[in-house]
């Protein structure tokens, strides 16, 4: 008799657990369904015009003094690199003359 009582008690407990999980899954599914419906409604009814910032060409302000300073700085830096390149070429020519003799 205890075998029958134990089996019935186990079946009753498992039935309760099954019912609890089933009810939990139904509740969560209903919540997800409602959330997805709300999101799809928001997407469907969303405004098609998205406010965007003005283009970069409009946002750039030109400052003549800053532009002048930048161009002078760039000219000076370009001159320094040009001078360094010319010195390097002279060093190469001098090295060739020393190593190989005569004109290169």
């Amino acid at each position: 008799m205890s075998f029958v009582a134990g089996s019935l008690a186990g079946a009753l407990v498992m039935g309760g657990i099954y019912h609890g999980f089933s009810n939990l899954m139904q509740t969560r599914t209903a919540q997800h369904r409602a959330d997805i419906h709300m999101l799809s409604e928001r997407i469907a009814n969303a405004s098609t015009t998205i406010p965007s910032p003005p283009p970069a060409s409009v946002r750039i302000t030109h400052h003549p003094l800053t532009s002048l300073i930048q161009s002078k700085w760039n000219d000076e830096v370009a001159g320094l690199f040009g001078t360094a390149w010319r010195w390097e070429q002279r060093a190469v020519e001098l090295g060739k003359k020393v190593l190989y003799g005569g004109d290169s």
Side-chain angles (χ1 to χ4, degrees):
M1 187 98 144
S2 77
F3 175 73
V4 173
S7 296
L8 286 176
L12 185 63
V13 169
M14 286 307 297
I17 291 173
Y18 173 78
H19 178 69
F21 276 122
S22 175
N23 191 18
L24 178 68
M25 288 190 323
Q26 281 182 336
T27 304
R28 290 223 176 145
T29 302
Q31 287 174 349
H32 289 312
R33 180 181 280 165
D35 291 342
I36 289 173
H37 179 71
M38 180 193 64
L39 290 173
S40 68
E41 288 292 322
R42 283 182 59 191
I43 289 173
N45 297 330
S47 175
T48 56
T49 58
I50 299 172
S52 61
S57 61
V58 173
R59 290 181 283 159
I60 296 173
T61 57
H62 295 285
H63 302 286
L65 180 63
T66 305
S67 298
L68 177 67
I69 292 170
Q70 285 177 345
S71 68
K72 292 293 183 182
W73 173 259
N74 289 339
D75 291 342
E76 291 294 324
V77 171
L80 287 173
F81 276 98
T83 302
W85 182 80
R86 284 190 297 276
W87 284 357
E88 181 182 1
Q89 293 302 316
R90 288 181 188 163
V92 168
E93 290 175 12
L94 181 63
K96 285 181 182 178
K97 284 182 184 178
V98 169
L99 289 174
Y100 304 117
D103 291 331
S104 55

